[in-house]
Amino acid sequence: MLCSSLGRAQQTARLALESEDFLTEKRLVEIGCGKWEGTCHEDRLLSDPELAPHLNEDFDIYINAPGGEGLEGLSNRLVTFLEDLQAPAIIFSHKIALVVMRALLCGSELSSNMAPPQGSILEINNGVTHYHV
């Protein structure tokens, strides 16, 4: 069982796994948002009025954040993580990271509608996905 090193993913893992141990993995953290890290919509509108009004979905906001990791950086990080996996795994991560990981594993084009519903379990087996709520 592997978990992002960020606290909110670890809280979820502890709730789901109760007393079972898990390993933290820094490559499972959410996409880096550069200067938009920790900001709200109004902050982004003030700091980047030419860009922010055109980005409405979380996916677009995260991958276009000025100074952020970007889609290529996130994809490269997750590819190295997936290549290092030696067996099936239970993974606790974050929305955009999971969307990109799902696209990589399933050979799909990225889409914001690939995000699993909040609080659900996404099972990927041989490129086929199933949700468990």
Side-chain angles (χ1 to χ4, degrees), residues 24-119:
T24 57
E25 169 57 62
K26 65 182 180 182
R27 292 176 292 181
L28 292 175
V29 300
E30 184 61 289
I31 187 170
C33 291
K35 79 177 207 178
W36 285 359
E37 198 75 45
T39 63
C40 65
H41 180 67
E42 291 76 19
D43 295 337
R44 293 186 293 271
L45 288 172
L46 287 172
S47 69
D48 295 284
E50 68 289 341
L51 176 62
H54 306 288
L55 306 174
N56 298 317
E57 294 186 18
D58 286 348
F59 186 77
D60 293 328
I61 292 168
Y62 282 102
I63 67 171
N64 291 294
E69 181 177 20
L71 187 57
E72 183 176 355
L74 175 61
S75 296
N76 291 339
R77 172 166 47 94
L78 292 174
V79 164
T80 63
F81 166 76
L82 292 169
E83 288 174 345
D84 288 347
L85 278 179
Q86 300 296 310
I90 296 172
I91 296 169
F92 295 86
S93 190
H94 308 274
K95 183 176 184 176
I96 305 303
L98 288 170
V99 167
V100 172
M101 199 178 319
R102 179 179 176 189
L104 291 168
L105 288 169
C106 296
S108 305
E109 293 217 14
L110 283 172
S111 167
S112 61
N113 66 359
M114 293 178 73
Q118 185 75 21

Side-chain angles (χ1 to χ4, degrees), residues 107-129:
S108 305
E109 293 217 14
L110 283 172
S111 167
S112 61
N113 66 359
M114 293 178 73
Q118 185 75 21
S120 66
I121 297 170
L122 173 63
E123 178 185 351
I124 302 173
N125 190 354
N126 295 320
V128 178
T129 59

